[in-house]
């Protein structure tokens, strides 16, 4: 998928909503547990109920690995379903990987080529040669952690490094890497006041924004400081949407919750 | 496993060698490809040929995820084999994970509880609440990236942060986290001159040292600056050992290569 296609989809759906598919078997409707593959059945129902108002889906790999082989099979089925039934949506493997070069190349193969995700999240701590193997995959995107939505972000990311804070150093340095055209960044909604600084360094790149919803970030603030001429934002909500209902009508409840966010997005898109 | 048991094993085997099980189907002896599970057969042969001279095994999860379901199944079989046949060895899931708290908890469950590894490597970029869920698992170890062996380590890890470089800040800050007794650290052999600084901050913790072998680090330098009274080092070699041979005698060749390293370790252990 190209940035142009992504922006086109956003304007068409009047939405820049990404839904996080973080499936916890203790939290999904209990009637699904009788199914052969409850994780996939849950995802399929959520996707079918929301694909016209969400532009991206983001399974977090931790939730699949926690169920071993069964979980990995459900992840494969979920990305195959998205690629076959809804090829217009943008897919994100929220994996937060990063290792020495030959190892990162294996992760890039796993997520971007074999599983066929459009993008994968990557941690920057190990620097250039840990990220470039992801950037080398043509037509795919690498979403680098810059400023995350959690409390622990204050431990290192906003520490001084060079002429600014570490997250700024990450943004600046990453622009010099081979394949940097394929970069997007994670910037947490809980730190919307930092978005002005982020946009000074990366005005054009898409930002994947977690932290709206359960984590408490404000959509309006994120848009005020983070939006650019190509919209440039994918705002994620996971738990607040997918666990909105616990009964047989859970997918409908998820849609209702997603619609609330999408309505807010629509207003912002056509007024800002 | 306790630190006391780990040190006991080191002294008994006269070795602090960790063997990295980074299995690439393009590099293993081709006759194995006819087996039902070539990845596991390769690992089993390497483990059987080296378990008396290696104290730890470290599968890097990237190499398993790159083969999808088949790879994940081979990882499960490998850790089960280690836990059942060689319960005395220390096992490391080289996964370099790290995410917001509820997500890190899922990774901790996957690697330390369900798969039953003794330890898992974790990236520090997201700070305290991304690491503490791993530290909370009793009787297990979290191996935090401090100073990695690759070139990209210079991009951020040795940048100024607070009163020192970022890797020092990571070491210092991590000591204040809940469960910090369960911490070990990754410190690359290619940067042995930094070990003196690392030992000033974490004199007692074990260091997992990649970068000896293919990456070019010196074992002598690592030991000179990094060893402590409990040995405190696990030195990893992956490719140089496991791909020492390509024929039917590959496991024997791997053993010969491992023996060379172990001999050097033995001399250092009983002379330093």
């Amino acid at each position: 998928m190209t940035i142009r296609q992504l922006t086109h989809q956003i304007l068409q759906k009047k939405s820049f909503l990404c839904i996080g598919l973080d499936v916890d078997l203790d939290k999904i409707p209990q009637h699904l547990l009788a199914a052969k593959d409850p994780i996939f059945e849950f995802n399929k129902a959520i996707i079918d109920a929301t694909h016209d108002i969400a532009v991206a889906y983001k399974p977090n790999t931790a939730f699949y690995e926690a169920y071993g082989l069964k979980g990995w099979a459900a992840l494969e089925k979920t990305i195959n379903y998205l690629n076959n039934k809804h090829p217009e949506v943008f897919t994100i493997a929220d994996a937060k990987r990063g290792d020495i070069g030959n190892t990162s190349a294996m992760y890039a193969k796993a997520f971007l080529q074999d599983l066929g995700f459009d993008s994968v999240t990557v941690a920057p701590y190990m620097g250039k040669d840990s990220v470039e193997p992801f950037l080398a995959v043509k037509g795919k995107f690498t979403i680098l952690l810059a400023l995350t939505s959690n409390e622990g972000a204050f431990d290192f990311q906003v520490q001084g490094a060079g002429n600014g804070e570490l997250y700024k150093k990450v943004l600046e340095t990453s622009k010099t890497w081979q394949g940097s055209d394929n970069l997007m960044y994670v910037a947490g909604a809980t730190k919307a006041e930092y978005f002005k600084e982020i946009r000074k360094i990366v005005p054009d790149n898409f930002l994947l924004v977690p932290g709206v919803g359960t984590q408490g970030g404000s959509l309006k603030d994120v848009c005020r400081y983070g939006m650019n001429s190509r919209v440039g934002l994918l705002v994620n909500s996971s738990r607040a949407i997918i666990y909105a209902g616990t009964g047989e009508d859970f997918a409908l409840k998820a849609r209702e919750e997603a619609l609330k966010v999408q309505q807010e997005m629509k207003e912002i898109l056509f007024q800002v």
Side-chain angles (χ1 to χ4, degrees), chain A:
Chain A
M1 182 173 303
T2 64
I3 290 293
R4 184 189 292 261
Q5 288 168 325
L6 178 56
T7 302
H8 179 73
Q9 191 198 162
I10 289 172
L11 296 177
Q12 206 163 44
K13 293 184 178 172
K14 302 177 177 61
S15 165
F16 41 99
L17 175 62
C18 173
I19 295 181
L21 300 172
D22 302 352
V23 185
D24 183 338
L25 289 181
D26 292 338
K27 289 187 184 154
I28 69 172
Q30 296 304 293
H31 73 276
L32 286 178
L33 297 181
K36 204 180 153 208
D37 186 343
I39 302 174
F40 174 68
E41 291 306 325
F42 178 79
N43 284 346
K44 183 173 171 296
I46 297 282
I47 293 163
D48 287 345
T50 56
H51 68 90
D52 59 321
I53 50 174
V55 296
Y57 291 91
K58 179 176 78 61
N60 186 310
T61 55
F63 289 81
Y64 299 84
E65 294 186 355
Y67 297 110
L69 272 181
K70 205 173 59 176
W72 197 265
L75 180 65
E76 281 192 10
K77 278 163 82 175
T78 301
I79 182 64
N80 287 342
Y81 186 74
L82 284 165
N83 282 337
N84 292 327
K85 287 279 181 171
H86 306 288
E88 82 287 0
V89 302
F90 187 74
T91 55
I92 302 168
D94 194 2
K96 301 190 174 70
R97 300 298 198 263
D99 208 312
I100 62 171
N102 77 315
T103 307
S104 275
M106 297 304 265
Y107 280 130
K109 175 180 179 295
F111 291 109
L112 301 177
Q113 294 177 316
D114 297 347
L115 289 172
F117 278 93
D118 291 314
S119 65
V120 59
T121 58
V122 171
Y125 193 73
M126 294 180 66
K128 173 175 163 144
D129 54 304
S130 72
V131 182
E132 284 189 342
F134 292 97
L135 297 174
V137 186
K138 290 213 177 11
K140 301 286 181 169
F141 294 90
T142 301
I143 309 180
L144 196 64
L145 302 189
L147 189 62
T148 57
S149 57
N150 64 324
E151 184 64 26
F154 294 107
D155 284 335
F156 309 120
Q157 297 168 25
V158 298
Q159 297 294 321
N163 292 325
E165 292 104 317
L166 177 60
Y167 78 94
K168 291 186 187 171
K169 177 89 185 168
V170 167
L171 292 170
E172 279 157 6
T173 305
S174 66
K175 290 170 70 174
T176 68
W177 295 340
Q178 186 106 29
S180 61
D181 283 354
N182 299 335
L183 276 170
M184 299 183 176
Y185 299 94
V186 171
T190 51
K191 300 181 180 64
E193 68 276 19
Y194 290 84
F195 276 51
K196 223 190 273 185
E197 296 298 309
I198 292 173
R199 277 299 181 209
K200 281 186 197 160
I201 307 172
V202 290
D204 297 329
N205 301 65
F206 259 80
L207 305 178
L208 170 64
V209 186
V212 164
T214 308
Q215 293 181 65
S218 149
L219 181 64
K220 284 221 170 69
D221 288 348
V222 165
C223 295
R224 180 176 308 134
Y225 301 120
M227 205 169 257
N228 66 18
S229 64
R230 295 191 281 190
V231 185
L233 295 173
L234 291 171
V235 172
N236 183 74
S237 179
S238 304
R239 290 168 276 179
I241 290 178
I242 67 174
Y243 299 132
T246 54
E248 302 226 346
D249 61 346
F250 72 97
L252 188 70
K253 294 286 183 200
R255 180 179 175 80
E256 286 169 9
E257 205 57 39
L259 260 177
K260 284 185 210 162
V261 187
Q262 185 259 341
Q263 277 299 325
E264 214 184 329
M265 288 176 167
K266 186 176 160 184
E267 283 167 29
I268 293 168
L269 274 174
F270 295 92
Q271 138 199 326
V272 171

